Amino acid sequence: MAIGPLRIVHCLRAPVGGLFRHVCDLAEAQAERGHLVGLIADATTGGAAATARFERLEQVCKLGITRFPMSRLPGPGDLAVARRIGRLAAELKPDVLHGHGAKGGAYARIAGTRLRQSGARPIRAYTPHGGSLHYGKLSPAGFVFLAVERHLASRTDVFLFESEYGLRTFSEKVCPPPGIVRVVHNGLAPDEFTPVVAADDAADFVFIGELRALKGIDTLLEALARLAPGSDGPTAVIVGAGADGDKLRMAAETLGLGARVRFPGAMPAREAFRLGRCVVVPSRAESLPYVVLEAAAARLPIVATNVGGIPEIFGAQADRLVPPDDPERLAAAMGRILSDRNRADDDARALSEDVAGRFSLAGMTDAILEAYVTET
């Protein structure tokens, strides 16, 4: 389907993690197709890595990249941010305002609605990326966040979910989404399907991600201790940074894993993959995590939990997934990798080939562009 040049502005809060990667990949791919693209993001998060990524994006984002402070939690400052984004959107005159995550989605849809009140007709698109959907309906924070989602649903023209899980969860916790609704899986570029070879001194297992409770790293440490107590046994590398870093280091010491677990800090995923012979994703909640897609593309064995959209990635191999918060089952799955490496490699090869056919960057970009211009 040929789509004429669009003026597309993406709005997100924190330029970190899979959400940021998704926005960057999508913006670049849309620009390559001749669309005029701009980005709006928080200026206080992301660090040097985000700054470097934005500098590369500036070369293709003809509508520019604008960053200013945005708070993580709701507060009075949100009104000033929303007004600022509204003024910027009025100047950029976008055909599409695409919000990502709870905060970015709220800002974009508020700005898009105000533009419509002034006579413009921007398409208000929204991708939740998990966000407020991770909160329980009865928790105080969940009550507020989900109420906001419900209010903004009628001010959304196009809903784009990265997984069937995301669509199902939104429908259950918020409301059946109105307007155009599409499930568009995250996609990878062809060069990401080059296998990664582990370093000679690689650990048995590697975790890659934010060091916070939602990622279940404490469960991984407990599972590692169950495989062999004390200083002898399988090893692991915990790659990433986050608020719970010190707590997790202390937990490793308490479990007697000090000599078996390393915390080298954050680094790019494919660089981190070389540090371990099997990727472990022990998350308590996810949407459609890029690290699982990237590990599958790199043809690495993966042990993961049965949460969010991960079963959609594993497809026919979804029965290998383990429950979250279950160190015994996680240890058993990790033990099977150690005991039958040939089977693990065969599973990794089959999963990589399956993912290559279902999760492409080109397919993701085409589907999102088509959703923008679908008649309601």
Side-chain angles (χ1 to χ4, degrees):
M1 176 180 179
I3 298 172
L6 297 171
R7 299 174 67 85
I8 304 167
V9 175
H10 295 281
C11 182
L12 66 151
R13 190 191 69 82
V16 296
L19 185 156
F20 184 44
R21 183 210 154 130
H22 173 86
V23 174
C24 292
D25 286 354
L26 180 58
E28 286 183 324
Q30 290 173 337
E32 288 174 0
R33 285 161 169 73
H35 302 286
L36 301 179
V37 182
L39 268 69
I40 303 171
D42 175 44
T44 65
T45 49
T51 299
R53 189 71 178 92
F54 279 126
E55 288 175 353
R56 295 198 300 274
L57 275 173
E58 283 178 341
Q59 301 174 28
V60 299
C61 288
K62 303 301 184 184
L63 298 183
I65 296 174
T66 305
R67 301 182 67 185
F68 44 80
M70 302 178 188
S71 65
R72 177 176 177 269
L73 296 176
D78 287 335
L79 296 176
V81 172
R83 284 194 294 269
R84 186 168 181 177
I85 291 174
R87 290 194 297 270
L88 180 59
E91 295 172 6
L92 295 175
K93 298 179 173 59
D95 299 305
V96 180
L97 259 173
H98 190 160
H100 299 264
K103 270 295 184 74
Y107 292 145
R109 288 177 289 173
I110 291 170
T113 298
R114 287 178 176 171
L115 285 177
R116 286 185 165 226
Q117 292 169 348
S118 66
R121 300 295 297 174
I123 296 161
R124 300 162 296 181
Y126 175 44
T127 304
H129 296 278
S132 36
L133 302 185
H134 289 321
Y135 290 90
K137 294 171 66 174
L138 301 180
S139 70
F143 180 82
V144 174
F145 295 154
L146 296 174
V148 172
E149 291 283 5
R150 202 168 295 114
H151 173 73
L152 291 172
S154 62
R155 292 157 177 81
T156 310
D157 304 301
V158 178
F159 281 92
L160 294 156
F161 296 93
E162 326 90 292
S163 62
E164 294 287 352
Y165 162 81
L167 171 55
R168 186 169 62 250
T169 303
F170 190 95
S171 300
E172 293 171 355
K173 290 187 175 183
V174 181
C175 65
I180 303 300
V181 181
R182 297 285 187 274
V183 173
V184 181
H185 288 134
N186 297 330
L188 302 180
D191 61 0
E192 295 183 83
F193 287 87
T194 303
V196 170
V197 178
D200 293 339
D201 61 347
D204 296 297
F205 302 102
V206 59
F207 165 89
I208 305 161
E210 290 184 80
L211 306 189
R212 59 189 183 113
L214 198 69
K215 296 300 182 180
I217 307 161
D218 55 325
T219 307
L220 167 57
L221 294 175
E222 291 181 34
L224 199 65
R226 285 173 182 259
L227 283 171
S231 59
D232 294 326
T235 56
V237 178
I238 311 297
V239 177
D244 292 337
D246 290 341
K247 184 187 299 184
L248 290 166
R249 292 181 183 89
M250 290 179 60
E253 292 291 342
T254 301
L255 290 167
L257 302 174
R260 293 164 53 189
V261 178
R262 293 194 296 117
F263 291 83
M267 65 184 73
R270 286 184 70 85
E271 181 180 338
F273 288 152
R274 298 193 68 248
L275 303 182
R277 302 182 189 282
C278 171
V279 175
V280 183
V281 183
S283 300
R284 293 183 168 95
E286 289 286 357
S287 181
L288 193 85
Y290 268 104
V291 69
V292 177
L293 289 173
E294 291 169 321
R299 202 166 287 188
L300 293 172
I302 308 169
V303 173
T305 49
N306 190 357
V307 297
I310 294 178
E312 296 170 48
I313 299 174
F314 270 66
Q317 295 191 38
D319 59 351
R320 293 202 295 110
L321 299 172
V322 301
D325 282 315
D326 192 333
E328 184 174 351
R329 295 279 293 276
L330 185 63
M334 293 162 65
R336 285 192 289 273
I337 297 291
L338 295 173
S339 64
D340 193 345
R341 189 70 200 193
N342 290 335
R343 173 65 181 274
D345 289 342
D346 288 344
D347 286 343
R349 186 179 305 107
L351 183 58
S352 180
E353 292 171 355
D354 183 39
V355 165
R358 296 189 293 124
F359 297 88
S360 74
L361 175 58
M364 178 188 85
T365 305
D366 289 343
I368 289 174
L369 286 170
E370 289 177 11
Y372 288 163
V373 299
T374 300
E375 293 291 338
T376 56

